Amino acid sequence: MTSQEKIEEYPFVDIFNEDEAEKNFMLSKPVCFVIFGKPGVGKTTLARHIAQEWKCIRVEALTILEEHITKDTETGVMLQSMLFSGQSIPDELLIKLMLEKLNSLEIAHFGYIITEIPTLAEDALTTLQQIALIKNLDLKPDIIINIKCPDYDLCQRVSGQRQHSTTGYIYTREQWDPEVIESRRKKKKEAHKEGKGDEEGEEEEEQEEEEAFIAEMQVVAEILQHLVQRPEDYLENIEHIVKLYKDMILQALEEIMAEHNPQYFIELDGNLPPEDLFTIVIERLKYLNLRRAAVLTKLQSAEEEMNDAMDNDELFRTLAAYKLIAPRYRWQRSRWGRSCPVTLKEGNIYPGMADLSVSFLGKMYCLSSEETLKAFSLNPRPYLLPPMPAPPFKVFVFGPPSSGKTTLCNLLAKYYKGKVTTSSS
């Protein structure tokens, strides 16, 4: 059963009750996407556009590897050493890292978009096991997008791609082939003549178009000598990969798509330009009553300085006017005031810093350190859901030596999930 068919716990929410609407949003599931299609059909390009517009996280192997290496984590150091020694990354490790990302706090708030599962490689998991992995995710996909394209059209398009040897940019045949560019120019010129009569200034327009065409051909001539064809773009290779996709994966994917709620299933024509595919998806999403992830905005930039010693009223009056999203709109003060919501969740009261202030769902929050800001930015929901905010309850236990103070404190801390501090600590 898909997530849309489940009965919501709070089906009706008073949108004019600010607290109720905010609570309902933070209890809601983020929107998750899966894109299916033949290799080279344009899944990654579409995913990049959707992630940028919908504010969800693209879960791709290369991005996850780069993230670990950049942050210099223990896994990142291991990956870097493997790459430097010329080893390939095992599929088991890639799947493990992708699952960790899919179960992270960041995904729990922003949602995800997947394009690389299932894959043709079956070294770690078979195709059916990979599909079962998608079905058994804690956050199951809400939207399934399938990009269809005839084999011949796809093979011709992919085999016409060239990569710039220096920049790595991929050029399509329409961008680098002089014959295709000339043919497109002639068709445009003929259509222009048919649509216009004898008007003044027509010769000037033709001259401008001719100059633009000459400039375009000069650019093509410059890049043409740097373009190379990747092995995976050879016609025989792409035909082989498409055949493997149809033999190994297609039938299992068709069963998933047939089981999915048709209202949340989007099928696209892969022959359309990427911009048109993105426009179609966004138009469909407008009518599905889905919520985008709420993004945090850091209110104070690095160039601006603010004195932490100013009183709370003055601080919030100043912050309320930063980075406004509309004229006369001002950020509101949250019930946390200046207390850091992250440390308060842990049972400690620390005042937030002025230069670590953020806005979320129209309210201002002050964080106490870079670590709490990072945790809050990944997923603010755990720190804002009821019964928070609640000041920590502190108990002072005293008595003569060996009277059982430590035992009593440990029992109370275990029952109330608290923390024991002593004078010695």
Side-chain angles (χ1 to χ4, degrees):
M1 179 180 290
T2 59
S3 58
Q4 294 81 16
E5 295 171 347
K6 295 180 180 178
I7 300 175
E8 295 184 8
E9 186 176 356
Y10 304 102
F12 300 106
V13 177
D14 184 2
I15 61 174
F16 298 104
N17 185 323
E18 189 173 337
D19 292 337
E20 187 177 342
E22 182 177 304
K23 177 182 176 182
N24 178 265
F25 173 81
M26 288 191 288
L27 288 173
S28 64
K29 174 184 176 297
V31 181
C32 302
F33 300 81
V34 173
I35 303 180
F36 296 142
K38 299 172 185 174
V41 78
K43 301 188 294 295
T44 303
T45 303
L46 179 60
R48 184 169 60 249
H49 291 319
I50 294 176
Q52 184 176 2
E53 176 71 19
W54 207 259
K55 310 303 179 186
C56 55
I57 307 297
R58 276 196 306 147
V59 180
E60 296 180 350
L62 180 59
T63 307
I64 295 174
L65 296 179
E66 290 176 347
E67 182 180 344
H68 278 281
I69 294 174
T70 303
K71 293 181 178 179
D72 203 22
T73 62
E74 183 179 347
T75 303
V77 173
M78 180 186 65
L79 291 170
Q80 202 164 12
S81 64
M82 292 176 65
L83 293 174
F84 283 160
S85 61
Q87 302 178 38
S88 59
I89 309 299
D91 290 340
E92 297 89 343
L93 180 58
L94 287 176
I95 292 176
K96 178 186 175 183
L97 294 176
M98 292 183 73
L99 283 176
E100 288 178 357
K101 185 70 173 179
L102 289 169
N103 293 320
S104 64
L105 286 174
E106 185 181 16
I107 296 295
H109 175 62
F110 292 100
Y112 62 77
I113 182 165
I114 302 176
T115 60
E116 296 181 349
I117 300 179
T119 65
L120 291 172
E122 292 188 329
D123 296 337
L125 296 175
T126 64
T127 300
L128 294 178
Q129 289 174 330
Q130 295 180 55
I131 291 176
L133 184 147
I134 296 177
K135 290 182 176 181
N136 296 327
L137 288 173
D138 293 336
L139 296 176
K140 294 178 173 50
D142 301 285
I143 305 294
I144 291 182
I145 301 173
N146 183 36
I147 306 178
K148 300 181 69 175
C149 186
D151 294 351
Y152 177 80
D153 296 342
L154 178 62
C155 293
Q156 290 298 314
R157 186 175 72 195
V158 174
S159 62
Q161 292 180 160
R162 297 293 185 271
Q163 186 177 35
H164 197 284
S165 58
T166 305
T167 64
Y169 185 81
I170 304 297
Y171 291 86
T172 62
R173 187 182 297 276
E174 290 75 15
Q175 294 174 308
W176 66 265
D177 193 334
E179 295 181 0
V180 176
I181 297 175
E182 175 66 25
S183 175
R184 185 174 68 242
R185 172 176 171 267
K186 288 181 179 179
K187 290 180 180 178
K188 184 178 179 181
K189 195 172 183 179
E190 292 174 0
H192 183 70
K193 286 182 178 180
E194 293 177 1
K196 293 189 66 176
D198 296 332
E199 297 181 4
E200 296 181 1
E202 185 176 348
E203 293 182 358
E204 295 181 1
E205 292 182 7
E206 290 182 358
Q207 185 176 357
E208 291 177 358
E209 292 177 359
E210 187 69 23
E211 292 175 356
F213 172 73
I214 294 174
E216 183 181 5
M217 293 304 296
Q218 289 176 347
V219 173
V220 170
E222 291 177 2
I223 67 171
L224 198 57
Q225 56 185 338
H226 299 287
L227 297 184
V228 296
Q229 188 176 20
R230 301 175 299 176
E232 59 264 33
D233 293 338
Y234 290 157
L235 182 59
E236 58 272 18
N237 290 342
I238 187 63
E239 287 176 345
H240 176 66
I241 292 174
V242 169
K243 184 177 183 302
L244 286 178
Y245 172 85
K246 294 170 71 175
D247 294 341
M248 298 171 54
I249 298 179
L250 184 58
Q251 183 178 354
L253 292 185
E254 287 176 343
E255 293 177 0
I256 288 185
M257 292 184 285
E259 295 171 358
H260 198 72
N261 188 335
Q263 184 180 1
Y264 297 89
F265 174 67
I266 303 175
E267 200 162 61
L268 303 173
D269 182 2
N271 281 323
L272 294 176
E275 295 77 13
D276 293 351
L277 297 180
F278 171 68
T279 302
I280 294 171
V281 172
I282 295 301
E283 287 298 321
R284 282 286 303 274
L285 294 177
K286 287 180 180 178
Y287 303 102
L288 294 180
N289 193 28
L290 298 174
R291 299 173 176 175
R292 304 186 192 194
V295 181
L296 282 79
T297 303
K298 198 170 187 300
L299 295 179
Q300 190 180 13
S301 62
E303 295 78 14
E304 298 168 329
E305 294 184 1
M306 189 176 294
N307 186 5
D308 286 324
M310 67 173 61
D311 59 41
N312 292 347
D313 291 338
E314 184 181 358
L315 172 65
F316 286 117
R317 276 197 302 269
T318 306
L319 290 175
Y322 279 5
K323 297 185 180 179
L324 302 182
I325 59 176
R328 299 184 181 180
Y329 179 89
R330 296 175 70 85
W331 305 111
Q332 301 177 21
R333 187 182 306 193
S334 71
R335 66 181 70 179
W336 278 254
R338 195 167 178 173
S339 299
C340 175
V342 177
T343 57
L344 190 59
K345 187 76 172 181
E346 298 169 353
N348 302 306
I349 300 178
Y350 291 106
M353 300 174 63
D355 57 348
L356 297 180
S357 302
V358 298
S359 66
F360 177 67
L361 295 180
K363 293 186 173 63
M364 298 175 287
Y365 301 91
C366 298
L367 287 306
S368 59
S369 65
E370 291 289 347
E371 290 74 19
T372 57
L373 174 63
K374 181 180 178 181
F376 193 77
S377 300
L378 288 177
N379 188 353
R381 302 188 192 203
Y383 310 107
L384 303 182
L385 285 170
M388 299 296 287
F393 184 71
K394 300 179 181 180
V395 179
F396 177 68
V397 179
F398 64 95
S402 303
S403 60
K405 300 187 298 295
T406 303
T407 303
L408 177 59
C409 289
N410 289 332
L411 290 173
L412 288 172
K414 181 179 180 181
Y415 183 81
Y416 288 105
K417 298 180 180 179
K419 183 170 60 174
V420 178
T421 57
T422 62
S423 57
S424 59
S425 61

